[in-house]
Amino acid sequence: MSNPLTYYKEHLEKYKTETQRLYKKMTAFSIYRLAVFLITVFGVCFTFQQWQVALFIGLVGVVVFIVLLSKYTDIKRLRNFNKALVTINEEEIEIASGNFHQRDQGLQFQDSNHFYSLDIDLFGRGSFFQFINRTTINEGTQKLADALKTNEVDNIVLRQEAIKELCEKPQWRQYYSATSSLVSVETPEKQIINWLQNYKSFLPKMMTWIPLGFTLFSVIIFLLTILNVITNQALIGYWLLFGLLITGRYLKKVNILASNADKVRDTFRQYALLLDLIEKETFTSELLKQNQKKIQTETKKGSEIFKEFSKYLDALDNRNNIIGAIFGNGFFLTDIKNSYKIEQWINRHSSKVADWFEVVSFFDAYNTLGNFTYNHPDFVFPKIVDNELVIKAKNLGHPLLNKTKRVDSDLFIDNEQFFIVTGANMAGKSTFLRTVSLHIVMANVGLPVCAETSEYSPVKLITSMRTTDSLTDDSSYFFSELTRLKYIVDTIKKEPYFIVLDEILKGTNSTDKAIGSRKFVEKLVASNATGIIATHDLSLCEIEKQLKDVKNYYFDAEIVNDELHFDYTLKQGVCKNMNASFLLKKMEIV
């Protein structure tokens, strides 16, 4: 596997060069269009007395102008695609340097009542979500957040295989992200699906052939008029009025359909490109193949069906041109023809749209997971086991810390073991708790973890580390904490969880806290719970002497030459060195 940073730098230059080349090409086509326009105007004016020649020049000029405009539009779309690729690689280089705090924090996904999301910096500034998120579609972002919060312990190997495969497809992932970043979504996915599934058709079935028949009659009338078979040219005007009257009967409902279509047109056009990317790629992992199959039908590919719908929506949008609307509806019933095609598409495919959207969002979210894996080739996928072991990790570290400064620790914890971790202030207890919690969350999602090796028996996570009071709910800090602890006790009765606690019962006096904490830990151990609690209360460590499933660990601090030193390494035993008094004196507070 190539070095991620090298890959990003090389491709940044490649896409920058291509973007500049396409810009020059766009400029040239702009000049060509202007030249054709001026030549056409001059030619028509110069031959105005010979209307047949002027008409020929005008028609040729219009055709050439439209062709050049189409080419210009294609080049512009390709340039925008390459600009998006430039942005992607620039951002990866920035994030690799540690500059990611301006990105989406995912605060909308924070939930104080969730099992762990508020406690382990999963969302917020400097959070795991902010660091890894590369989604470009709202629904993909939601799916990523759900994956991080789901606490799902089944099918981990299935997810690992999918993430490994996407990790090995950096170009495909970037093409997908660049394409999806160009999606202009005015209407949320759920609203689009709801509109399609509840849509009521207003055009009768005979509209299958009426616009075609009307168009045929219009062509015949034109030809007969040109050949002077029909000498009364007013007939063309009457026929135009007749067509407008037919269209006018459905005008109100067509306007409503056009309004809704205008809001989803760009979404379907871009989603068609995303579906096309998924369909054309070869996947081997089961989870990716399952999602790929969801967008395949017996007759057509999902991308083709979306392109077809996008084409119908574009055709209906042409009614916004007043000249095209009058003559198109008057002679060809274009509103009715295009509306009928849209309605028939909705009738045939509305039940499958939700699945197709779901697949697009799935790949948007899983590309983020594959990207994270690609960016961390030194991380390892935990070996999933089913035995008494819960976590056996060597050199386990926090995934967001700089590896040149990060201090890793070994962690071996069996099922129904409970660790009590003591240590001085700032010695690393809370960081260690979040490290262990993230190992569990990342492993359950299917991600590699920040460790040299890891064996893991899947378990759900529940924490109490960051309880707050609430003026709105009129609840004190202590009552909020008790509510959280009650939630943990009730939850672990239903199924096993890995429990992570940080300095519980902070809202009461030290004696009461020591007694309460001891009884709570004893209750957890008696219920065969597995987990870790960090505390400053050394009396809690006495439980190890009475209960064999309780083990004491600590983080140390030393005062050397009147300076405080931390090694941030997990050790077995009880911490003896505390630093509060030293820090108060050192900072001249006392």
Side-chain angles (χ1 to χ4, degrees):
M1 185 182 293
S2 62
N3 180 281
L5 199 55
T6 301
Y7 179 91
Y8 297 135
K9 289 178 179 178
E10 289 176 353
H11 283 74
L12 173 61
E13 292 307 314
K14 173 185 173 182
Y15 297 132
K16 274 186 175 180
T17 301
E18 182 64 9
T19 301
Q20 291 167 359
R21 185 187 72 82
L22 291 169
Y23 177 74
K24 292 177 181 177
K25 201 170 181 180
M26 279 174 56
T27 304
F29 272 87
S30 295
I31 294 171
Y32 298 156
R33 280 162 48 216
L34 178 61
V36 168
F37 174 77
L38 293 175
I39 290 170
T40 302
V41 171
F42 177 78
V44 170
C45 292
F46 187 75
T47 61
F48 191 73
Q49 299 300 323
Q50 300 172 289
W51 68 269
Q52 295 92 338
V53 177
L55 179 62
F56 176 77
I57 293 173
L59 288 174
V60 171
V62 169
V63 170
V64 173
F65 186 88
I66 291 173
V67 170
L68 292 174
L69 179 61
S70 177
K71 290 285 186 181
Y72 174 87
T73 303
D74 290 341
I75 295 169
K76 182 179 180 181
R77 186 179 298 117
L78 191 57
R79 178 174 178 263
N80 288 339
F81 174 72
N82 278 271
K83 282 178 66 178
L85 289 169
V86 167
T87 300
I88 287 171
N89 286 279
E90 284 177 339
E91 288 181 347
E92 291 297 341
I93 294 169
E94 277 288 299
I95 294 168
S97 69
N99 183 17
F100 65 93
H101 295 93
Q102 76 285 357
R103 298 175 65 82
D104 178 22
Q105 299 180 26
L107 293 175
Q108 67 273 29
F109 304 118
Q110 279 189 340
D111 180 5
S112 59
N113 296 317
H114 185 257
F115 298 103
Y116 51 78
S117 69
L118 190 66
D119 290 334
I120 65 172
D121 296 325
L122 199 61
F123 304 102
R125 179 173 167 77
S127 64
F128 186 68
F129 173 87
Q130 188 179 42
F131 181 67
I132 74 166
N133 179 33
R134 304 293 190 275
T135 58
T136 54
I137 301 171
N138 288 336
E139 288 73 21
T141 308
Q142 180 67 58
K143 190 168 286 293
L144 174 64
D146 290 343
L148 295 175
K149 293 170 64 177
T150 190
N151 227 4
E152 176 61 59
V153 295
D154 297 325
N155 301 316
I156 292 176
V157 174
L158 205 64
R159 293 193 287 276
Q160 283 183 346
E161 292 303 317
I163 292 168
K164 286 178 185 177
E165 183 171 3
L166 287 172
C167 164
E168 296 167 0
K169 298 177 182 288
Q171 185 180 72
W172 186 86
R173 283 189 285 101
Q174 288 200 353
Y175 279 17
Y176 191 92
S177 295
T179 303
S180 62
S181 70
L182 300 175
V183 175
S184 177
V185 179
E186 290 186 35
T187 309
E189 181 182 297
K190 288 183 179 179
Q191 196 170 326
I192 294 175
I193 294 170
N194 184 62
W195 170 59
L196 292 173
Q197 292 180 345
N198 294 286
Y199 183 81
K200 302 296 182 184
S201 299
F202 61 86
L203 291 171
K205 288 186 177 180
M206 61 181 178
M207 289 303 173
T208 305
W209 56 268
I210 284 180
L212 180 62
F214 199 89
T215 298
L216 184 60
F217 272 105
S218 295
V219 172
I220 292 172
I221 290 172
F222 278 124
L223 287 174
L224 293 177
T225 302
I226 292 172
L227 296 173
N228 291 323
V229 175
I230 296 176
T231 56
N232 186 3
Q233 296 181 354
L235 181 62
I236 294 178
Y238 293 135
W239 187 251
L240 173 70
L241 183 60
F242 181 51
L244 292 174
L245 288 173
I246 295 174
T247 305
R249 181 181 176 187
Y250 301 100
L251 182 61
K252 184 176 180 181
K253 292 182 178 179
V254 170
N255 284 341
I256 295 172
L257 175 60
S259 176
N260 288 321
D262 186 58
K263 296 174 183 176
V264 303
R265 190 176 67 256
D266 288 341
T267 300
F268 276 90
R269 183 189 297 112
Q270 209 69 14
Y271 271 42
L273 298 176
L274 295 174
L275 291 173
D276 189 53
L277 283 170
I278 297 168
E279 290 162 353
K280 289 180 178 178
E281 188 63 20
T282 301
F283 297 112
T284 57
S285 61
E286 190 59 35
L287 186 57
L288 299 185
K289 289 196 295 185
Q290 286 174 6
N291 278 274
Q292 191 180 44
K293 286 178 182 177
K294 288 181 181 179
I295 60 175
Q296 296 171 345
T297 66
E298 294 180 1
T299 55
K300 285 185 178 180
K301 296 178 180 179
S303 62
E304 293 175 351
I305 295 171
F306 267 44
K307 286 175 185 174
E308 183 181 75
F309 192 49
S310 177
K311 184 177 70 176
Y312 297 157
L313 296 175
D314 284 339
L316 186 62
D317 183 59
N318 289 333
R319 71 198 301 269
N320 292 325
N321 182 316
I322 188 65
I323 296 175
I326 292 173
F327 291 101
N329 285 315
F331 292 122
F332 311 112
L333 305 184
T334 51
D335 274 4
I336 292 176
K337 179 184 69 175
N338 294 326
S339 297
Y340 185 77
K341 287 181 178 179
I342 291 171
E343 289 194 338
Q344 291 306 299
W345 188 97
I346 292 173
N347 291 335
R348 288 193 302 269
H349 303 297
S350 60
S351 60
K352 289 288 293 177
V353 170
D355 290 339
W356 291 328
F357 277 11
E358 173 78 13
V359 171
V360 169
S361 300
F362 167 84
F363 277 96
D364 191 40
Y366 265 69
N367 274 351
T368 280
L369 304 179
N371 186 78
F372 174 82
T373 305
Y374 180 79
N375 287 345
H376 298 87
D378 51 331
F379 286 14
V380 297
F381 284 92
K383 180 182 178 182
I384 305 302
V385 297
D386 184 14
N387 52 36
E388 289 301 305
L389 169 74
V390 177
I391 300 175
K392 182 181 180 182
K394 184 177 180 182
N395 289 329
L396 176 65
H398 195 289
L400 267 62
L401 294 179
N402 189 317
K403 64 181 178 182
T404 61
K405 301 178 181 179
R406 187 181 69 223
V407 178
D408 302 331
S409 295
D410 296 340
L411 174 65
F412 307 131
I413 183 166
D414 290 332
N415 187 39
E416 298 181 8
Q417 276 194 331
F418 214 89
F419 288 3
I420 298 174
V421 180
T422 53
N425 294 300
M426 304 185 297
K429 298 190 304 300
S430 295
T431 299
F432 175 71
L433 295 187
R434 290 183 173 86
T435 299
V436 176
S437 299
L438 277 175
H439 175 288
I440 293 172
V441 172
M442 292 166 68
N444 287 346
V445 169
L447 286 170
V449 297
C450 181
E452 186 178 327
T453 63
S454 174
E455 293 182 29
Y456 172 62
S457 184
V459 64
K460 295 184 177 182
L461 174 68
I462 193 166
T463 65
S464 179
M465 300 169 64
R466 192 175 279 157
T467 309
T468 58
D469 56 1
S470 174
L471 294 175
T472 305
D473 298 333
D474 194 27
S475 61
S476 67
Y477 177 92
F478 186 60
F479 182 77
S480 295
E481 190 173 16
L482 291 179
T483 302
R484 182 66 179 180
L485 296 180
K486 177 68 165 59
Y487 170 69
I488 291 175
V489 170
D490 292 342
T491 302
I492 64 175
K493 288 178 182 177
K494 303 170 187 175
E495 56 183 321
Y497 280 80
F498 192 98
I499 305 166
V500 178
L501 308 171
D502 191 4
E503 203 66 50
I504 62 171
L505 303 180
K506 294 186 284 289
T508 187
N509 66 71
S510 57
T511 303
D512 200 24
K513 172 187 171 183
I515 296 171
S517 298
R518 183 186 182 95
K519 289 183 177 180
F520 186 71
V521 172
E522 288 174 344
K523 179 178 178 64
L524 293 179
V525 175
S527 64
N528 300 321
T530 307
I532 303 175
I533 180 173
T535 182
H536 286 100
D537 183 6
L538 301 184
S539 67
L540 199 60
C541 300
E542 298 296 319
I543 302 177
E544 183 188 50
K545 299 176 183 178
Q546 301 158 18
L547 301 172
K548 64 181 180 63
D549 291 325
V550 176
K551 304 293 181 183
N552 288 326
Y553 287 85
Y554 72 99
F555 287 91
D556 207 1
E558 291 184 304
I559 300 173
V560 180
N561 297 326
D562 202 35
E563 294 292 337
L564 198 59
H565 292 274
F566 303 102
D567 60 15
Y568 302 111
T569 303
L570 183 69
K571 305 180 182 74
Q572 191 161 6
V574 180
C575 179
K576 301 300 182 183
N577 300 324
M578 296 299 174
N579 59 14
S581 299
F582 171 80
L583 289 173
L584 287 168
K585 182 179 179 182
K586 184 74 175 176
M587 296 176 68
E588 299 181 354
I589 298 174
V590 296

